[in-house]
């Protein structure tokens, strides 16, 4: 048994740590890139979205390099994401691959567990402990990247702060206990408090909304975060694996979570539309009211929930005078068009900000 | 004067209109429909909708834009689910449809956008009807009576569909009490095709440029998902590892299995709209299944804003020619349909 999995953001940190603690052999496929896209497009149906092509390509890469078991999360829609794994299995079998999938979904968990146990020989408690450990790692890593996005452009000495972040991230991969992970997180939060910063209003702040895969996977969003960071923009992003998974998986948190989102989105969208449509609308308003100068919505071509969200976000843009740029990510690899649009948007925001400052003076 | 309630002639019109028409009429309202889809509704729709939306959603926007000044109330239900089955709902765009309309179209009249979610609670449709009637100031026995009549109308409509009456004619027959005009009998169809896809594509003759009519002229018998007996349609659910999340997609997939397993047809035609999210998956699944069932010929007919009559006709003709040639080529492999 050699387990592998498609990538999504930093989720592989949690998975590899869990599998390592349980002594199960695993294989990390290469990060999604042009090769994965090519492999995915060969098998994927014509109208499928970019995340599906990348996930499928990633699975093929894993299988080509020798994995025989794939782990992937299922779902219950109505976003297509929940059916990816079932369709992918059919497509891969049709293409002649031989493998087994472990689907994390209702009705499959017991089967998965017994299969893993036969291979590994560990107790249920050990599995839970290991999963918790892996989970903490992802939570901490995402917290660090959030701090980096929000504070690095404001630092008086960004190089030093950046080095510090890199150092901590490396330290994180070497940790061996949950306590150590939490310690690193606390250390960074302290360090931020001590670092001299520019006032928040002096830099441009942008919020990112959109579907989870596009926001979390750097290749799927043309590394927009790096680009914005290099342009000296603080980036705010509510979307994170660590925020989404607990709210979806734990039934006692789901109701409150949806209610909170609805309270923001209600005038423009009054129902959950699956995927991250409601999140996108709610976060647009939430961030628009609190901290940002503009919003960028990113979504793959043909993403159904985000199209509904787009109509609501357009309305918010008009009604609440919040600049919004909606970009559809298609399956082309060209950076130029993407960058041009971003640059124009940033320039417009900068000018608006300057005019506003002049008006106040 | 009677209050006018507007009902766009698009999307779920083709399956659920008889119920709502009877219900509102019995309560003493006038139900106004938009014109059958035409160039105007398409243009209005393209103009109003967010640009990434699919064709049927644009058409729906067009119908609403056409209706909005003619009526006092618009009835745009939020279709969530119509039965209890795993987590089956409608496509995300249906779930957010009233919001999309509100966000995109200016100057709308009052909107009734109650959630149609029949998967939860006791007698959900009964309660939903009372809630809607209450909003329109109707209470008590009158509502119950209207509800029963509406239910009856809907049942009659389903029976017509099962008897192979085209949806639009069946609707007229149920709500207008008109006699069924005998649909043109095809004397001896030599080719049987399953025309599968969502009702708002199959039955809207403007979007699909008169597909069903053309098939009849070519001497081809078209079978749709609505012609499968409901219980036998449901029995096909077991063929997928997991049910799809979308109501219409499940219907389409099950009809696919039904026609493939019963060997009733010579080929399958999947009618889909460009940019349809669920169909990207359904289309591939159908293709794989046709391949698995004795390599049954399969054609995807993708429709968009610019669909021309010639294009659709050419594709269908080529497909049917291929079927006929194939039959001539290997007589013994042909299915003996009944």
């Amino acid at each position: 048994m050699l387990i592998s999995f498609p990538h999504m953001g930093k989720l592989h940190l949690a998975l590899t740590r869990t599998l390592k603690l349980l002594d199960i052999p695993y294989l990390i496929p290469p990060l999604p890139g042009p090769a994965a896209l090519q492999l995915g497009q060969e098998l994927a149906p014509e109208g499928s979205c970019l995340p599906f092509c990348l996930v499928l390509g990633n699975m093929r890469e894993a299988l080509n390099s020798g994995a025989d078991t794939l782990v992937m999360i299922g779902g219950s829609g109505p976003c297509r994401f929940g059916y990816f794994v079932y369709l992918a299995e059919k497509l891969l079998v049709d293409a002649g691959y031989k493998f087994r999938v472990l689907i994390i979904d209702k009705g499959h968990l017991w089967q998965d567990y017994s299969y893993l146990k036969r291979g590994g020989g560990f107790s249920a408690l050990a599995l839970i402990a290991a999963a918790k450990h892996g989970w903490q790692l992802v939570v901490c890593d995402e917290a660090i990247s959030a701090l980096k996005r929000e504070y690095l452009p404001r630092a008086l000495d960004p190089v030093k702060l950046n080095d510090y972040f890199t150092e901590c991230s490396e330290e994180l991969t070497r940790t061996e206990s949950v306590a150590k992970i939490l310690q690193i997180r606390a250390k960074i939060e302290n360090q931020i408090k001590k670092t001299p910063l520019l006032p928040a209003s002096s830099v441009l702040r942008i919020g990112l909304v959109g579907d989870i895969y596009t926001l979390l996977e750097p290749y799927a969003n043309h590394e927009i975060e790096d680009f914005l960071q290099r342009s000296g923009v603080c980036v705010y992003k509510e979307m994170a694996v660590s925020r989404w998974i607990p709210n979806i998986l734990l039934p006692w948190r789901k109701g409150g979570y949806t209610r909170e989102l609805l309270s923001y989105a209600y005038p423009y969208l009054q129902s959950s539309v699956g995927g991250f449509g409601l999140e996108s609308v709610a976060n647009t308003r939430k961030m628009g009211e609190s901290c940002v100068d503009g919003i960028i919505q990113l979504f793959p071509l043909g993403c159904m929930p985000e199209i509904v969200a787009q109509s609501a976000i357009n309305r918010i843009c008009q009604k609440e005078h919040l600049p919004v740029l909606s970009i559809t990510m298609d399956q082309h690899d060209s950076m130029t068009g993407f960058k041009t649009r971003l640059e124009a948007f940033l320039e417009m925001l900068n000018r608006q900000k300057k005019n506003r400052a002049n008006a106040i003076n | 004067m009677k209050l006018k309630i507007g009902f766009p002639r698009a999307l779920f019109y083709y399956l659920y209109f008889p119920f709502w028409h009877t219900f509102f009429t019995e309560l003493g309202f006038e139900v106004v429909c938009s014109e059958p889809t035409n160039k105007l509704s398409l243009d209005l729709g393209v103009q109003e909708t967010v640009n990434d939306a699919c064709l049927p959603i644009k058409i729906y926007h067009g119908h609403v834009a056409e209706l909005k000044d003619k009526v006092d109330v618009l009835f745009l239900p939020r279709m969530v689910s119509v039965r209890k089955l795993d987590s089956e709902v409608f496509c995300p765009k249906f779930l957010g449809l009233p919001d999309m309309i509100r966000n995109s179209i200016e100057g709308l009249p009052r909107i009734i956008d109650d959630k149609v979610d029949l998967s939860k609670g006791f007698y959900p449709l009964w309660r939903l009807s009372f809630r809607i009637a209450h909003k329109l100031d109707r209470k008590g026995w009158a509502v119950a009576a209207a509800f029963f009549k509406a239910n009856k109308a809907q049942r009659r409509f389903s029976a017509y569909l099962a008897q192979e009456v085209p949806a639009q004619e069946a609707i007229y027959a149920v709500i207008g009490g008109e006699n069924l005009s005998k649909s043109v009998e095809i004397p001896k169809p030599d080719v049987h095709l399953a025309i599968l896809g969502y009702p708002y594509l199959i039955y809207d003759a403007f979007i699909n440029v008169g597909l069903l009519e053309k098939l009849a002229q070519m001497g081809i018998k078209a079978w749709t998902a609505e012609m499968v007996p409901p219980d036998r349609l449901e029995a096909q659910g077991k063929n997928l590892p997991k049910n799809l999340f979308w109501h219409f997609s499940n219907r389409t997939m099950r009809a696919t299995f039904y026609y493939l397993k019963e060997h009733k047809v010579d080929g399958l035609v999947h009618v889909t709209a460009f940019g349809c999210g669920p169909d990207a998956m359904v289309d591939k699944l159908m293709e794989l299944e046709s391949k698995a069932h004795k390599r049954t010929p399969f054609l995807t007919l993708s429709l968009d804003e610019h669909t021309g009559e010639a294009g659709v006709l050419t594709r269908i003709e080529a497909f049917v020619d291929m079927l006929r040639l194939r039959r001539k080529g290997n007589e013994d492999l042909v299915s003996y349909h009944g």
Side-chain angles (χ1 to χ4, degrees):
Chain A
M1 182 167 72
L2 183 58
I3 288 193
S4 192
F5 42 81
H7 280 286
M8 184 176 86
K10 292 292 181 63
L11 203 55
H12 63 278
L13 290 179
L15 283 167
T16 48
R17 181 59 64 92
T18 309
L19 293 170
K20 199 164 143 195
L21 287 173
L22 294 174
D23 265 334
I24 298 174
Y26 63 87
L27 182 149
I28 309 177
L31 288 172
L37 184 61
Q38 168 93 40
L39 284 173
Q41 278 171 340
E42 279 169 19
L43 290 189
E46 196 189 332
S48 61
C49 53
L50 179 65
F52 182 67
C53 287
L54 288 176
V55 164
L56 189 64
N58 233 204
M59 285 178 163
R60 283 185 80 185
E61 279 181 313
L63 293 174
N64 287 345
S65 28
D68 59 7
T69 310
L70 293 172
V71 181
M72 164 102 189
I73 193 163
S76 49
C79 167
R80 283 180 280 182
F81 194 88
Y83 212 82
F84 276 9
V85 62
Y86 299 96
L87 183 64
E89 191 184 357
K90 272 184 184 271
L91 290 173
L92 290 172
V93 168
D94 188 59
Y97 287 97
K98 289 202 170 45
F99 62 101
R100 193 191 157 107
V101 267
L102 299 181
I103 302 169
I104 307 175
D105 195 358
K106 267 183 288 185
H108 288 271
L109 291 177
W110 182 248
Q111 235 177 331
D112 298 346
Y113 170 66
S114 48
Y115 178 74
L116 279 179
K117 203 174 164 189
R118 232 177 300 141
F122 49 82
S123 71
L125 281 176
L127 176 69
I128 293 172
K132 245 181 163 169
H133 187 149
W135 177 244
Q136 275 302 336
L137 195 67
V138 159
V139 172
C140 185
D141 187 86
E142 285 195 327
I144 293 178
S145 352
L147 289 172
K148 193 172 165 187
R149 285 196 302 266
E150 290 171 24
Y151 289 101
L152 197 57
R154 282 171 57 195
L156 286 176
D157 189 354
V159 179
K160 196 172 145 208
L161 190 61
N162 195 20
D163 287 348
Y164 186 72
F165 274 124
T166 321
E167 201 180 292
C168 288
S169 299
E170 271 166 24
E171 207 176 319
L172 201 60
T173 53
R174 290 195 302 270
T175 49
E176 269 156 17
S177 69
V178 178
K180 188 80 187 147
I181 295 175
L182 295 176
Q183 213 178 340
I184 292 178
R185 187 170 165 182
K187 196 170 85 181
I188 294 181
E189 277 162 3
N190 272 330
Q191 178 70 25
I192 292 277
K193 276 183 204 143
K194 281 188 282 177
T195 321
L197 294 173
L198 294 165
S201 55
S202 66
V203 290
L204 208 58
R205 286 164 297 170
I206 284 187
L208 291 183
V209 297
D211 88 288
I212 193 165
Y213 193 91
T214 313
L215 284 194
L216 295 185
E217 193 50 65
Y219 178 69
N221 59 32
H222 290 335
E223 286 161 12
I224 185 172
E225 280 175 31
D226 286 352
F227 177 82
L228 290 175
Q229 230 163 55
R230 278 200 304 278
S231 321
V233 178
C234 285
V235 181
Y236 292 79
K237 188 167 81 174
E238 293 279 315
M239 179 72 65
V241 173
S242 51
R243 281 192 203 157
W244 171 62
I245 289 190
N247 287 327
I248 292 303
L249 285 189
L250 309 177
W252 60 91
R253 286 179 69 164
K254 207 172 167 182
Y257 176 66
T258 318
R259 266 195 299 283
E260 196 209 326
L261 291 176
L262 273 176
S263 72
Y264 281 106
Y266 198 77
Y268 303 96
L269 187 61
Q270 300 174 359
S271 153
S272 167
V273 291
F276 296 88
L278 186 59
E279 270 95 340
S280 290
V281 179
N283 290 337
T284 301
R285 276 202 90 202
K286 193 172 163 188
M287 293 195 283
E289 280 171 6
S290 59
C291 51
V292 302
D293 301 306
I295 294 279
I296 298 179
Q297 187 201 11
L298 294 174
F299 59 96
L301 181 74
C303 176
M304 302 178 280
E306 291 300 324
I307 291 172
V308 180
Q310 194 192 5
S311 77
I313 291 176
N314 283 348
R315 191 68 162 189
I316 295 176
C317 171
Q318 290 164 9
K319 284 251 165 165
E320 309 194 357
H321 306 291
L322 177 69
V324 174
L325 175 70
S326 287
I327 298 187
T328 318
M329 314 298 291
D330 58 10
Q331 297 173 14
H332 291 293
D333 213 10
S334 148
M335 279 293 283
T336 327
F338 184 67
K339 268 192 184 157
T340 313
R341 277 181 280 175
L342 283 184
E343 276 165 3
F345 187 62
L346 292 184
E347 219 160 88
M348 188 200 80
L349 288 183
N350 267 324
R351 177 166 305 175
Q352 198 184 42
K353 195 158 186 152
K354 218 181 274 166
N355 287 347
R356 220 176 268 162
N358 289 342
I360 290 168
N361 294 335
Chain B
M1 213 179 92
K2 281 183 181 174
L3 194 75
K4 282 184 189 160
I5 299 181
F7 197 109
R9 196 189 290 254
L11 300 183
F12 30 81
Y13 168 90
Y14 295 99
L15 283 189
Y16 306 119
F17 182 67
F19 179 88
W20 293 112
H21 181 273
T22 318
F23 184 67
F24 289 131
T25 321
E26 287 298 317
L27 289 178
F29 302 111
E30 189 187 342
V31 178
V32 181
C33 263
S34 46
E35 295 294 310
T37 312
N38 50 40
K39 192 82 178 65
L40 176 73
S41 28
L42 178 64
D43 286 348
L44 280 174
V46 171
Q47 195 181 326
E48 303 280 2
T49 326
V50 278
N51 40 14
D52 281 307
C54 58
L55 177 65
I57 295 292
K58 287 184 180 169
I59 299 249
Y60 190 78
H61 278 67
H63 281 277
V64 172
E66 184 200 321
L67 262 182
K68 67 175 183 183
D69 300 322
K70 296 184 194 162
V71 296
D72 309 308
V73 179
L74 269 173
F75 182 59
L76 312 173
R78 189 189 297 277
M79 300 300 282
V80 177
S81 64
V82 288
R83 59 173 174 183
K84 224 177 216 141
L85 178 84
D86 291 356
S87 43
E88 189 192 79
V89 289
F90 281 83
C91 149
K93 289 174 203 160
F94 279 58
L95 303 188
L97 201 50
D99 299 308
M100 283 180 95
I101 297 279
R102 253 192 230 110
N103 289 329
S104 309
I105 301 180
E106 300 284 344
L108 290 167
R110 182 178 163 206
I111 291 179
I112 292 185
D113 66 341
D114 280 73
K115 210 179 241 186
V116 180
D117 186 353
L118 308 187
S119 67
K120 292 187 193 100
F122 295 105
Y123 301 107
L125 187 58
W126 168 267
R127 282 166 46 195
L128 173 76
S129 308
F130 270 78
R131 211 162 49 236
I132 291 173
H134 186 77
K135 283 195 174 170
L136 295 166
D137 273 338
R138 294 284 191 278
K139 296 187 188 77
W141 280 111
V143 183
F147 175 80
F148 287 121
K149 275 213 165 148
N151 244 343
K152 222 168 129 192
Q154 184 67 25
R155 271 203 299 276
R156 248 175 56 221
F157 172 67
S158 306
Y160 280 143
L161 285 185
Q163 287 162 26
E164 307 177 11
V165 180
Q168 187 66 71
E169 269 176 47
I171 290 175
Y172 286 144
V174 172
I175 65 174
E178 295 166 28
N179 285 335
L180 272 183
S181 51
K182 251 300 185 222
S183 53
V184 198
E185 276 293 312
I186 304 161
K188 248 197 170 175
D190 68 326
V191 176
H192 292 249
L193 283 184
I195 308 292
L196 301 175
Y198 304 143
Y200 46 82
L201 294 175
I202 306 270
Y203 297 120
D204 191 328
F206 180 81
I207 304 187
N208 64 31
V209 287
L211 177 65
L212 293 181
E213 207 176 300
K214 280 207 189 78
L215 288 174
Q217 282 164 10
M218 290 160 72
I220 297 163
K221 170 87 183 137
W223 296 87
T224 65
E226 280 69 37
M227 293 179 196
V228 184
D231 51 325
R232 305 193 62 183
L233 190 66
E234 293 320 309
Q236 302 296 337
K238 60 180 190 301
N239 291 315
L240 276 180
K242 180 181 174 121
N243 282 317
L244 291 156
F245 310 135
W246 315 286
H247 178 68
F248 288 139
S249 310
N250 268 330
R251 280 181 72 93
T252 307
M253 267 329 284
R254 287 170 183 195
T256 307
F257 281 116
Y258 174 82
Y259 285 119
L260 284 175
K261 287 194 190 288
E262 304 274 320
H263 305 295
K264 275 203 160 171
V265 292
D266 302 298
L268 270 115
V269 179
H270 182 211
V271 183
T272 170
F274 176 75
C276 175
D279 264 357
M281 297 198 141
V282 172
D283 189 61
K284 197 72 191 181
L285 288 171
M286 285 172 80
E287 188 191 318
L288 290 175
E289 288 310 326
S290 320
K291 199 168 140 192
H293 287 83
K294 296 191 186 164
R295 305 183 70 84
T296 309
F298 174 73
L299 170 75
T300 305
L301 206 56
S302 178
L303 306 168
D304 61 13
E305 289 93 326
H306 319 290
T307 304
E309 213 160 309
V312 172
L313 202 59
T314 313
R315 277 179 279 175
I316 287 281
E317 272 172 357
F319 185 62
V320 173
D321 282 350
M322 185 202 75
L323 287 179
R324 287 184 175 140
L325 273 178
R326 186 184 151 141
R327 177 177 301 173
K328 224 185 267 169
N330 37 14
E331 228 19 278
D332 49 354
L333 278 182
V334 168
S335 64
Y336 296 98
H337 36 75

